[in-house]
């Protein structure tokens, strides 16, 4: 497929991993996902691009100074053409602005925030960097979802930030999952919200692999952990896992 060069407002467009040991993360994600790496240098804080076939698909970065003990985690960024406007609505909608907006030279503008249940998320206004250059292909992101026990609160909060249409695809009780679409995404949802009893709500990252079972074996061989054995779903064969530092991810063999 040709490189992806745009994302509609509200669609997850980028993800990066904050981890205290970037070298160890490279040793894990490189073999599991077929990634190569490009360290952008000290002037960019050790930010490291993850490449698949020469295309930017994600990134790794160390924690900011003073936060070296923060747990390893994937950060998800939602695309916006109006960063200032969306960021200004965060507090009004019940969330908490955390950082930004600020310029990333030559790339774009970013901000970070917490939703009402303290799930963190990024906002990205594209400049020279529009986001992941591959999507839904092996080695690239293929889905994102918000995991939270507060379903109605989350749906309402994000709907105030972006013009999401949110469709319940479960029964709303035993399986409560809303699929979110935005103008410009056609009939395809761009992300979802899953009601689940987690102590700390979070945005999850799904990464595509050509063979889920082989990927699961690699995760274990390289020091990661399977949260659940590989299983089949209508959307592919899934491998919920953590990397060696404890960051959560799901590997997915697409149908």
């Amino acid at each position: 497929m040709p490189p992806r060069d745009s994302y509609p407002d509200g669609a997850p467009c980028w993800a990066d991993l904050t981890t205290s040991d970037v070298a160890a993360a490279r040793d894990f994600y490189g073999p599991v996902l077929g990634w190569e790496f490009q360290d952008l240098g000290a002037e960019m804080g050790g930010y490291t691009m993850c490449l698949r076939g020469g295309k930017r698909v994600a990134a790794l970065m160390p924690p900011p100074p003073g936060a070296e003990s923060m747990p390893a985690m994937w950060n998800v960024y939602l695309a916006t053409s109006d960063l200032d406007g969306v960021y200004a609505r965060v507090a009004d909608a019940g969330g908490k602005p955390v950082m930004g907006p600020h310029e990333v030279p030559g790339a774009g503008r970013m901000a970070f925030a917490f939703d009402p249940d303290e799930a963190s998320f990024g906002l990205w206004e594209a400049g020279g960097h529009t986001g992941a250059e591959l999507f839904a292909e092996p080695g690239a992101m293929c889905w994102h979802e918000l995991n939270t026990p507060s379903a109605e609160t989350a749906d309402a909060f994000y709907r105030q930030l972006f013009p999401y249409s949110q469709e319940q695809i479960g029964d709303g009780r035993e399986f409560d999952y809303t699929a979110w679409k935005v103008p410009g995404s056609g009939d395809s949802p761009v992300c979802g919200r899953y009601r689940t009893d987690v102590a700390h709500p979070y945005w999850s990252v799904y990464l595509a692999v050509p063979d889920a079972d082989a990927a699961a074996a690699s995760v274990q061989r390289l020091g990661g952990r399977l949260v659940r054995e590989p299983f089949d779903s209508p959307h592919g064969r899934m491998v919920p896992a953590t990397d060696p530092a404890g960051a959560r991810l799901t590997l997915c063999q697409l149908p």
Side-chain angles (χ1 to χ4, degrees), residues 2-241:
R4 183 83 180 254
D5 61 3
S6 66
Y7 290 83
D9 282 16
C13 63
W14 188 244
D16 52 31
L17 173 70
T18 301
T19 181
S20 59
D21 193 338
V22 171
R26 291 172 59 148
D27 290 342
F28 174 79
Y29 287 97
V32 170
L33 289 157
W35 284 351
E36 299 174 343
F37 303 97
Q38 178 188 15
D39 188 339
L40 300 186
E43 64 274 14
M44 294 297 290
Y47 202 77
T48 298
M49 288 292 182
C50 308
L51 310 175
R52 173 77 178 203
K55 302 293 189 296
R56 296 172 295 191
V57 293
L60 313 173
M61 65 176 178
E68 287 80 6
S69 63
M70 70 180 294
M73 64 178 293
W74 278 97
N75 312 294
V76 174
Y77 296 77
L78 307 176
T80 175
S81 57
D82 179 17
L83 178 60
D84 297 301
V86 173
Y87 193 62
R89 292 197 291 274
V90 168
D92 291 340
K96 179 182 177 182
V98 176
M99 182 184 73
H102 76 258
E103 190 84 20
V104 180
R109 300 173 69 231
M110 64 167 289
F112 264 97
F114 289 115
D115 71 15
D117 288 296
E118 298 193 347
S120 63
F121 63 98
L123 298 167
W124 182 254
E125 185 179 270
H129 175 63
T130 56
E133 295 178 303
L134 298 176
F135 197 90
E137 297 184 41
M141 302 182 299
C142 59
W143 185 245
H144 304 81
E145 70 194 11
L146 173 66
N147 297 261
T148 180
S150 302
E152 296 81 4
T153 298
D155 287 350
F157 170 78
Y158 288 96
R159 199 166 55 239
Q160 290 187 64
L161 301 189
F162 295 103
Y164 291 122
S165 59
Q166 297 166 328
E167 177 186 1
Q168 177 63 245
I169 62 172
D171 59 14
R173 299 181 302 279
E174 295 301 316
F175 179 54
D176 185 352
Y177 197 113
T178 53
W180 298 0
K181 299 177 183 178
V182 294
S185 68
D187 292 330
S188 299
V190 294
C191 56
R193 185 274 302 148
Y194 175 43
R195 180 172 61 82
T196 181
D197 189 20
V198 291
H200 302 289
Y202 66 98
W203 277 89
S204 61
V205 175
Y206 287 64
L207 298 160
V209 293
D211 184 324
D213 295 281
S218 294
V219 166
Q220 293 176 295
R221 185 181 71 254
L222 294 164
R225 181 178 67 88
L226 299 186
V227 175
R228 178 179 172 183
E229 290 297 318
F231 67 94
D232 292 316
S233 82
H235 306 289
R237 189 161 174 77
M238 304 294 180
V239 185

